[in-house]
């Protein structure tokens, strides 16, 4: 789960802070940098695969460090900060949205951490005025602007306040920060130091964030008598979703039990909630199977020796990964009460592959073509093969004996790209008239019927305008029949008969039409 750290570098972050009896004055941004370093140190120990990017913002924003796992490069960049003018959240939130979509797309879950000093600002760019404007945009009162929240991707938004908890202004600004989190509607929290501003209180605040959102998962992977301590990255989140009649809440267990194995072509590509990298965990790191020891010099030496010998110890995950990869199979795994997933070999390149765990939706029938996972059993348990004596495997999905024939595939416009692809197909045939006349009218009538079925009557007029425009763009060498057919089709799309699904738009009979065209 990549992380974006947005640091406020406005003038208010340069306000001095007196820490105890120390004569040296520190600025609030120094405390913020110390907090970021605390978070990065946590990543170094517990989340080594975490990608992190640092963004600076005041009235404008800039990406200080692109997404990287190099913690030291981030710490070095934070020592060379400059201060700018006032704080503006609108620009940085829009910038974060652009950065993440370009780098990761909209399918990746993110953590966005805003670090500021609790100053809401004044004037049109203040936090209060910005929230008021965003609410007007969401209510439809303002149509010429766009609100950057919620993010187009799943992201938790956290706000870290570098301010004294007894500051009177903080009581007014915390509800506004909470409104930011509520606008995003993906979860998050406002963090405030538990004591007066100091390096220790800021460190404790960032540590609370790390413990809450970046706690690694350690568990036991078990298959019969074989078992291995493993860790999952990113850590699986708690499942909480409102179903038709109940609120379903599930948490992944500390023990992952492999129930059985299926061929890859049987499981196909089932719907999954999330995907996690499975890595073997050292015994000393397993929170569930270790005992606390005193940190003496002797124990440190023993840990160093065990770490040195870790690569020589046989691992069940290595055996499982190699077997699944060679045999082309997946391992159905029980991850919780009435909750299953699958272990498989996944390759990001031709030379490197990893053991992955994909989680299904909770329930025993998450993969519909397999049925109830609890009813699966080896084919050897049956007295006779229910799928035929010559079939040595259980084929999924089970296809009916009768073969259905469909004249053409149905039109599906779930996303804009589907409609765009169908329209481009009509344009391609239109450019090749009259040679592609039959295909042109076939696709035209197919889209017209789909538009009528969906109640999308505006599409008919748009198609007519599109064909008229295409007619004006015909080259001088084009066949005369092309312009006549395009004009005829555009006219029919705008006539009364176009709204009757029982009628078809037929080609125009012209002097250029041959007998074979009819």
């Amino acid at each position: 789960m990549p992380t974006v750290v947005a640091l406020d570098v406005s003038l208010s972050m340069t306000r001095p802070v007196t820490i105890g009896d120390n004569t040296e004055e520190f600025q609030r941004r120094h405390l913020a940098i110390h907090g970021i370093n605390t978070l990065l140190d946590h990543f170094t120990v517990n989340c080594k695969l975490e990608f992190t990017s640092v963004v600076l913002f005041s009235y404008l924003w800039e990406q200080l460090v692109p997404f990287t796992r190099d913690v030291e490069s981030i710490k070095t960049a934070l020592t060379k900060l400059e201060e700018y003018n006032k704080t503006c959240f609108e620009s940085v939130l829009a910038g974060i949205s652009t950065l993440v979509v370009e780098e990761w797309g909209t399918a990746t879950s993110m953590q966005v951490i805003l670090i500021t000093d609790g100053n809401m600002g004044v004037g049109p760019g203040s936090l209060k005025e910005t929230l008021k404007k965003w609410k007007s945009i969401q209510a439809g009162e303002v149509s010429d602007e766009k609100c950057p929240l919620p993010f187009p991707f799943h992201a938790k938004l956290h706000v870290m306040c570098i301010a004294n908890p007894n500051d009177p202004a903080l009581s007014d600004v915390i509800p506004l920060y909470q409104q930011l989190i509520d606008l995003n509607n993906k979860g998050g929290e406002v963090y405030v130091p538990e004591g007066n501003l100091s390096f220790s209180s800021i460190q404790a605040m960032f540590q609370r964030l790390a413990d809450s959102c970046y706690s690694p998962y350690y568990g036991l992977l078990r298959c019969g008598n074989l078992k291995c301590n493993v860790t999952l990255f990113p850590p699986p989140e708690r499942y909480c979703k409102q179903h038709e009649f109940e609120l379903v809440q599930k948490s992944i267990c500390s023990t992952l039990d492999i129930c059985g194995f299926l061929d890859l072509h049987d499981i196909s590509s089932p719907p999954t909630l999330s995907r996690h990298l499975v890595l073997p965990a050292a015994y000393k790191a397993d929170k569930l199977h270790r005992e606390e020891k005193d940190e003496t010099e002797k124990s440190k030496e023993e840990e160093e020796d065990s770490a040195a010998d870790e690569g020589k110890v046989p691992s069940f995950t290595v055996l499982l990964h190699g077997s699944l990869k060679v045999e082309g199979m997946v391992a159905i795994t029980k991850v919780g009460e009435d909750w299953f997933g699958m272990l498989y070999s996944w390759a990001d390149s031709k030379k490197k592959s990893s053991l992955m765990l994909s989680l299904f939706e909770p329930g025993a029938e998450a993969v519909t073509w397999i049925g109830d996972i609890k009813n699966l059993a080896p084919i050897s348990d049956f007295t006779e093969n229910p799928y035929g004596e010559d079939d040595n495997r259980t084929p999924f999905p089970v296809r009916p004996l009768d073969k259905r024939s469909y004249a053409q595939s149905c039109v599906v416009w779930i996303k804009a790209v589907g409609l765009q692809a169908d329209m481009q197909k009509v344009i391609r045939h239109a450019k090749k008239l009259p040679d592609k006349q039959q295909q042109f009218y076939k696709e035209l009538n197919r889209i017209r019927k789909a538009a009528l079925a969906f109640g999308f009557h505006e599409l008919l007029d748009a198609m007519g305008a599109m064909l008229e425009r295409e007619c004006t763009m015909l080259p001088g060498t084009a066949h005369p029949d092309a312009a006549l057919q395009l004009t005829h089709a555009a006219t029919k799309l705008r006539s009364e008969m176009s709204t009757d699904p029982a009628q078809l738009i037929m080609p125009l009979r012209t002097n250029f039409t041959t007998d074979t065209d009819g």
Side-chain angles (χ1 to χ4, degrees):
M1 188 179 295
T3 299
V4 179
V5 178
L7 176 60
D8 186 358
V9 289
S10 61
L11 290 174
S12 59
M13 287 289 287
T14 62
R15 286 181 291 171
V17 177
T18 303
I19 301 177
D21 298 332
N22 197 338
T23 57
E24 183 181 359
E25 287 187 345
F26 296 93
Q27 298 177 359
R28 298 195 177 208
R29 64 172 181 169
H30 295 148
L31 300 179
I33 293 173
H34 180 72
I36 296 175
N37 290 336
T38 300
L39 187 63
L40 295 176
D41 292 338
H42 182 85
F43 290 169
T44 302
V45 177
N46 300 287
C47 307
K48 295 182 180 180
L49 300 179
E50 186 75 27
F51 281 98
T52 308
S53 176
V54 177
V55 174
L56 306 180
F57 73 97
S58 58
Y59 188 72
L60 301 176
W61 68 276
E62 66 171 329
Q63 188 179 29
L64 179 67
V65 182
F67 286 97
T68 181
R69 290 171 175 165
D70 188 357
V71 171
E72 294 303 322
S73 66
I74 299 177
K75 291 183 177 181
T76 302
L78 289 174
T79 61
K80 304 174 183 179
L81 299 183
E82 297 180 2
E83 62 272 7
Y84 295 91
N85 49 12
K86 65 177 185 177
T87 304
C88 179
F89 287 102
E90 183 174 5
S91 61
V92 69
L93 292 174
I96 290 173
S97 179
T98 302
L99 284 176
V100 173
V101 171
E102 290 179 354
E103 183 78 17
W104 302 95
T106 58
T108 303
S109 298
M110 305 290 297
Q111 297 276 8
V112 179
I113 303 172
L114 291 177
I115 304 174
T116 185
D117 60 342
N119 186 8
M120 72 175 70
V122 293
S126 65
L127 182 58
K128 182 180 293 186
E129 293 296 326
T130 301
L131 287 171
K132 186 182 298 184
K133 182 179 71 172
W134 289 351
K135 289 181 179 179
S136 301
I137 294 173
Q138 291 192 337
E141 300 173 3
V142 179
S143 58
D144 57 343
E145 295 188 46
K146 185 179 180 181
C147 178
L149 294 178
F151 290 120
F153 45 87
H154 186 279
K156 290 185 178 181
L157 180 60
H158 308 278
V159 181
M160 316 297 289
C161 293
I162 312 297
N164 283 312
N166 55 0
D167 189 344
L170 202 59
S171 59
D172 297 329
V173 75
I174 286 181
L176 301 181
Y177 290 147
Q178 189 60 48
Q179 290 182 34
L180 278 180
I181 297 173
D182 295 340
L183 276 175
N184 187 49
N185 197 28
K186 296 295 189 303
E189 190 175 347
V190 180
Y191 289 86
V192 179
E194 294 182 348
N196 292 330
L197 280 180
S198 64
F199 286 103
S200 59
S201 64
I202 295 298
Q203 180 176 344
M205 180 178 70
F206 275 83
Q207 191 60 49
R208 294 204 311 272
L209 170 67
D211 294 338
S212 175
C213 302
Y214 298 98
S215 295
Y217 169 87
Y218 292 106
L220 185 68
L221 178 62
R222 185 168 56 189
C223 179
N225 294 326
L226 298 174
K227 58 184 178 180
C228 178
N229 298 318
V230 295
T231 180
L232 302 181
F233 181 85
E237 296 184 353
R238 177 180 173 83
Y239 180 87
C240 183
K241 188 175 181 180
Q242 179 66 47
H243 287 202
E244 293 183 354
F245 303 105
E246 60 179 342
L247 178 64
V248 179
Q249 298 182 3
K250 297 282 186 180
S251 296
I252 191 168
C253 292
S254 59
T255 302
L256 310 178
D257 285 312
I258 295 178
C259 305
F261 300 89
L262 285 174
D263 287 335
L264 273 173
H265 75 273
D266 289 342
I267 197 71
S268 188
S269 298
T272 57
L273 292 174
S274 57
R275 186 176 64 178
H276 309 271
L277 180 64
V278 182
L279 299 172
Y283 182 80
K284 62 183 178 61
D286 195 337
K287 295 182 179 180
L288 302 171
H289 303 282
R290 69 179 175 91
E291 297 179 356
E292 296 294 338
K293 297 181 180 180
D294 296 334
E295 294 185 355
T296 60
E297 291 297 329
K298 182 177 180 180
S299 64
K300 288 182 179 180
E301 292 178 359
E302 291 177 354
E303 289 181 356
E304 292 175 358
D305 294 339
S306 62
D309 297 336
E310 183 179 340
K312 301 179 182 179
V313 178
S315 175
F316 171 56
T317 57
V318 177
L319 172 64
L320 178 64
H321 172 237
S323 303
L324 295 177
K325 182 178 180 180
V326 172
E327 298 295 332
M329 304 184 77
V330 300
I332 303 300
T333 307
K334 185 177 181 181
V335 300
E337 183 181 357
D338 202 27
W339 194 5
F340 296 87
M342 66 176 182
L343 288 164
Y344 58 96
S345 175
W346 177 82
D348 57 353
S349 63
K350 294 182 179 180
K351 296 182 179 180
K352 185 178 180 181
S353 60
S354 305
L355 183 63
M356 303 293 294
L357 171 67
S358 289
L359 299 179
F360 302 146
E361 286 273 354
E365 298 185 3
V367 186
T368 54
W369 55 88
I370 287 181
D372 194 333
I373 294 179
K374 297 177 181 178
N375 294 336
L376 293 179
I379 195 67
S380 58
D381 288 359
F382 294 87
T383 56
E384 59 181 10
N385 193 337
Y387 302 101
E389 296 180 358
D390 298 333
D391 196 344
N392 296 324
R393 298 175 302 150
T394 306
F396 294 105
V398 180
R399 293 180 173 84
L401 297 177
D402 56 324
K403 297 183 179 179
R404 297 184 175 91
S405 176
Y406 300 93
Q408 59 185 10
S409 59
C410 60
V411 179
V412 179
W413 293 334
I414 297 177
K415 297 182 179 180
V417 65
L419 175 60
Q420 183 180 4
D422 286 341
M423 300 296 284
Q424 288 175 343
K425 194 172 184 180
V426 174
I427 292 297
R428 286 198 303 270
H429 293 325
K431 291 180 182 294
K432 297 180 181 180
L433 287 172
D435 296 337
K436 295 290 185 179
Q437 177 174 294
Q438 182 179 357
Q439 294 87 340
F440 169 75
Y441 280 98
K442 179 182 178 181
E443 291 298 323
L444 189 69
N445 283 299
R446 186 173 73 94
I447 295 178
R448 184 178 69 89
K449 285 186 176 181
L452 294 176
F454 296 149
F456 194 5
H457 291 196
E458 296 85 354
L459 183 62
L460 303 180
D461 187 64
M463 290 174 63
M466 180 185 69
L467 295 179
E468 288 181 346
R469 178 178 178 274
E470 194 64 31
C471 183
T472 60
M473 296 178 63
L474 288 174
T477 57
H479 195 283
D481 198 26
L484 295 175
Q485 297 295 343
L486 289 175
T487 304
H488 166 71
T491 303
K492 287 294 185 180
L493 285 170
R494 290 170 173 167
S495 65
E496 293 183 359
M497 64 83 57
S498 65
T499 57
D500 185 0
Q503 298 190 40
L504 297 176
I505 300 178
M506 303 300 295
L508 177 67
R509 301 289 297 182
T510 66
N511 294 332
F512 305 100
T513 306
T514 62
D515 293 337
T516 57
D517 293 336

